[in-house]
């Protein structure tokens, strides 16, 4: 039986993801602020950026929750199999 353990992200990967998100968001906000268009178009783009940002956080949370749920279920199944194997005595007579 192969026991799969979830992979852990390193601190460097987490930092890189955070910095790239911050740079992308700040660049978009800067571009909207200095775009030579009417204010209502700027407001529309700003609201779209806010919605995209919040929905990306929600999607990331849903993916993380689904992965955690599947990990817990596989751990419970593995514990059940381990208990059955530990309780099994192959030398016990069946009568």
């Amino acid at each position: 039986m192969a026991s799969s353990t979830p992979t852990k992200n390193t601190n460097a990967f987490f930092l890189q993801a955070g910095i790239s998100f911050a740079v992308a968001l700040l660049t978009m906000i800067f571009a909207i602020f200095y775009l030579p268009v009417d204010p209502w178009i700027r407001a529309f783009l700003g609201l779209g950026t806010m919605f995209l940002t919040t929905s990306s956080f929600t999607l990331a949370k849903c993916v993380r929750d689904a992965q955690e749920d599947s990990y817990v279920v596989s751990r419970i199944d593995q514990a059940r199999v381990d208990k059955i194997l530990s309780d099994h005595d192959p030398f016990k007579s069946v009568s």
Side-chain angles (χ1 to χ4, degrees):
M1 264 190 243
S3 132
S4 64
T5 57
T7 59
K8 298 287 181 185
N9 291 330
T10 62
N11 289 336
F13 179 77
F14 186 74
L15 181 67
Q16 179 186 2
I19 289 173
S20 65
F21 176 78
V23 167
L25 184 61
L26 290 175
T27 302
M28 188 65 190
I29 290 171
F30 180 79
I32 290 171
F33 187 69
Y34 286 105
L35 194 65
V37 293
D38 293 335
W40 71 270
I41 296 174
R42 240 186 242 136
F44 177 77
L45 293 173
L47 285 175
T49 301
M50 277 186 5
F51 180 64
L52 184 61
T53 303
T54 57
S55 61
S56 67
F57 280 113
T58 303
L59 177 63
K61 182 188 177 307
C62 290
V63 169
R64 184 200 64 202
D65 290 347
Q67 287 176 342
E68 286 178 354
D69 288 344
S70 68
Y71 177 68
V72 169
V73 169
S74 68
R75 288 286 307 248
I76 291 172
D77 289 341
Q78 183 65 37
R80 286 181 184 153
V81 169
D82 289 345
K83 183 176 182 332
I84 290 170
L85 290 175
S86 67
D87 291 343
H88 176 67
D89 185 8
F91 299 110
K92 183 178 178 182
S93 64
V94 179
S95 48

